Amino acid sequence: MQHLAALLPRVTLKQALIVGGATAPPLVGGAGVLAILLYLMAAGGTATPAPEQPIAFDHSVHAGDAAIPCEFCHRGVGTQAAATVPSVEQCMFCHSVVKTDSPQIQLLQAHWDTKTPVNWARVHRVPDHVRFVHAPHIQAGVACETCHGDVASMEEVKQVRSLAMGDCQGCHRENSASLDCATCHK
Amino acid sequence: MSSSANEAAARASAVSEMGRTIPTDAEVPHSEGVRWGMVVDLDRCTGCQACVVACQAENNIALNEEQRVLERRAKTWIRIERYWEGEFPNAKARFIPVLCQHCGNAPCETVCPVWATYHNREGLNVQVYNRCIGTRFCANGCPYSVRYFNFWNPEWPEPMNNQLNPDVTVRTKGIIEKCTFCVQRINRAHVTAGTEGREIRPGEVQPACAQSCPTSALVFADLNNSESYPAQLAEAEADRSYTLLEHFGTDPGVIYLKKVDPHAEIHEDEHAHA
């Protein structure tokens, strides 16, 4: 399902409704077109499928069951541009003792032993001409879930919002944040 | 209400809607709020070109190879114009660093058909690369010739491609680029000040050119903040201050200081050799 969604063009809910609404009545197979669009939406919509990670890190265990706050691991989030991915050392603060018999933790242990970083696959990436800084958003009291979705229930993290310019602008407009081009575009 | 009145009302509301996203000149009085600007003391400038190099490195400006210079397609967001005064052996070299003047009343902004260049609330003349379609009207309209067109996609030989500034976009072929007053540094200062819950301090933001100037000929600050050194300097040295091509009424954000030499011999036939 996810592989299929990756091959097909991405559509937003709005686009699907407009296209579906315009094509459905005149066409005999209109219902079919609508069904295909709805299928695409169900298959992922704007969201990209979760990338495969080198270690099957489960956010639902850490952020969900253990209720570890996001910023405990993503320490840069309140002060800098990048939320930062924790270093292997930071994982080992706990995992030198916690669940050491798990095969996934042994993968981590191998990275620790060889002093090599884990090559995590990036999930969220804004285009090169956009400069997104986490800090002011956290300062303004925007919850992580607003953009990242309910990560605490995700086994594999995937992007849930389009994070396209209109998506950012809508939120900026609602919250009277800056709409100056130079704020985000570099 | 007639249909034409309806149309006029619709247009008025559309214009006011636009005005909310893009401030008009009337909305941003230059005497209020922040106005980023620079004071250039020409009596201090030695023409060393450190600012040019610093700018090139900070802003990912493509390398100006000999061929590009000969074609007059070299890009330098700040350039040192050199003028000779007098005849050898009594010749004097005069230097003027010329960068985007961030005009309060900019000729480039009004001619852009796609609003790729506009004036922001902090007095910056902003170039939006994504909007730019490369008509080059702005470059033709700019009396200071500080807007540069990308005739090629920039390329950096190994290992120079590894020293690109991640805070600055690499501009592609077909768009205009120009000095931004290092807007990435201004934005960073905004974030730092914001997280610390304070205003940006005078002197906290330094564009690459001002930072690298060995004689402090270039100083940068909010010109509306009377506590900033450049604002005080411009005030104290008002008798030797001027702006480039003042008579065009562009209201530049760059103020030049230059003592007029009473002994200078001025000849009618003297031409500037840049």
Side-chain angles (χ1 to χ4, degrees):
Chain A
M1 185 86 166
Q2 277 178 358
H3 295 291
L4 185 63
L7 289 172
L8 294 167
R10 290 183 212 161
V11 282
T12 62
L13 177 62
K14 200 169 152 195
Q15 283 167 336
L17 289 175
I18 292 167
V19 176
T23 54
L27 288 172
V28 185
V33 173
L34 201 60
I36 291 167
L37 284 163
L38 286 170
Y39 171 78
L40 277 175
M41 282 159 52
T46 58
T48 43
E52 203 176 314
Q53 300 290 355
I55 297 176
F57 178 86
D58 189 345
H59 270 90
S60 70
V61 171
H62 294 80
D65 303 345
I68 300 169
C70 309
E71 58 270 30
F72 183 79
C73 298
H74 302 288
R75 294 191 171 181
V77 78
T79 53
Q80 59 189 64
T84 65
V85 173
S87 60
V88 176
E89 184 186 20
Q90 212 175 311
C91 302
M92 293 303 287
F93 289 166
C94 300
H95 282 294
S96 53
V97 284
V98 178
K99 283 269 257 179
T100 47
D101 54 340
S102 147
Q104 293 298 325
I105 299 305
Q106 280 157 12
L107 285 176
L108 179 73
Q109 181 71 45
H111 279 283
W112 176 242
D113 292 340
T114 54
K115 301 288 178 220
T116 50
V118 184
N119 196 11
W120 297 110
R122 188 164 183 154
V123 181
H124 301 86
R125 184 186 284 282
V126 287
D128 208 18
H129 52 262
V130 178
R131 189 189 51 99
F132 177 82
V133 184
H134 272 96
H137 295 90
I138 301 296
Q139 293 283 324
V142 181
C144 306
E145 298 86 65
T146 312
C147 303
H148 293 288
D150 188 14
V151 174
S153 69
M154 289 184 200
E155 281 178 30
E156 283 181 302
V157 174
K158 67 171 191 171
Q159 186 176 327
V160 294
R161 276 184 83 146
S162 81
L163 303 183
M165 190 168 102
D167 198 13
C168 296
Q169 270 190 322
C171 204
H172 270 231
R173 219 178 282 271
E174 276 169 27
N175 294 293
S176 308
S178 170
L179 288 168
D180 185 15
C181 310
T183 304
C184 309
H185 289 285
K186 58 185 192 183
Chain B
M1 207 194 265
S2 70
S3 68
S4 69
N6 271 332
E7 265 175 44
R11 205 173 306 132
S13 91
V15 168
S16 83
E17 181 65 32
M18 252 192 298
R20 221 168 292 151
T21 46
I22 302 167
T24 59
D25 276 357
E27 232 181 299
V28 190
H30 303 310
S31 54
E32 283 173 27
V34 179
R35 186 181 185 187
W36 296 113
M38 193 176 272
V39 176
V40 182
D41 192 338
L42 296 179
D43 292 330
R44 283 169 173 268
C45 178
T46 62
C48 73
Q49 310 244 15
C51 51
V52 178
V53 176
C55 177
Q56 207 90 6
E58 169 77 14
N59 292 302
N60 298 340
I61 301 172
L63 301 175
N64 294 319
E65 291 145 6
E66 189 180 358
Q67 188 57 31
R68 300 283 182 259
V69 177
L70 291 173
E71 287 167 339
R72 303 225 163 205
R73 286 176 179 182
K75 278 178 292 201
T76 47
W77 287 6
I78 181 168
R79 64 173 186 267
I80 305 288
E81 290 191 356
R82 187 188 60 195
Y83 297 91
W84 290 111
E85 219 175 74
E87 289 296 320
F88 182 80
N90 294 319
K92 284 177 182 168
R94 303 291 192 199
F95 304 104
I96 307 181
V98 182
L99 64 159
C100 173
Q101 307 288 306
H102 292 268
C103 306
N105 188 13
C108 56
E109 290 166 11
T110 48
V111 294
C112 182
V114 293
W115 291 24
T117 182
Y118 72 100
H119 218 71
N120 85 353
R121 284 167 195 274
E122 298 192 342
L124 295 177
N125 174 267
V126 181
Q127 178 74 15
V128 186
Y129 304 126
N130 310 70
R131 278 186 187 162
C132 183
I133 56 170
T135 64
R136 289 186 268 158
F137 294 164
C138 57
N140 292 331
C142 176
Y144 308 102
S145 300
V146 290
R147 292 180 151 268
Y148 298 91
F149 186 69
N150 282 276
F151 285 93
W152 304 273
N153 274 325
E155 279 172 21
W156 286 268
E158 290 270 355
M160 290 187 78
N161 56 339
N162 292 324
Q163 63 109 51
L164 294 178
N165 185 350
D167 290 338
V168 180
T169 312
V170 171
R171 283 81 53 188
T172 48
K173 183 168 75 177
I175 61 168
I176 285 279
E177 62 179 58
K178 62 157 206 87
C179 161
T180 60
F181 267 166
C182 286
V183 68
Q184 67 278 13
R185 295 185 178 204
I186 296 172
N187 282 335
R188 197 185 303 149
H190 272 303
V191 170
T192 315
T195 49
E196 290 170 13
R198 57 172 175 82
E199 295 290 307
I200 296 180
R201 297 191 194 101
E204 192 174 348
V205 186
Q206 285 290 297
C209 54
Q211 188 185 22
S212 62
C213 184
T215 58
S216 302
L218 307 167
V219 282
F220 178 85
D222 171 13
L223 294 181
N224 284 345
N225 183 349
S226 55
E227 284 174 31
S228 74
Y229 170 68
Q232 289 171 352
L233 186 67
E235 180 85 37
E237 305 281 345
D239 57 329
R240 61 186 187 107
S241 80
Y242 74 103
T243 52
L244 290 187
L245 304 177
E246 218 158 48
H247 53 284
F248 283 3
T250 51
D251 183 20
V254 180
I255 297 165
Y256 289 82
L257 304 178
K258 176 71 186 160
K259 188 180 172 194
V260 177
D261 185 355
H263 305 296
E265 293 174 32
I266 298 163
H267 305 290
E268 281 291 310
D269 57 336
E270 208 166 75
H271 295 295
H273 302 289

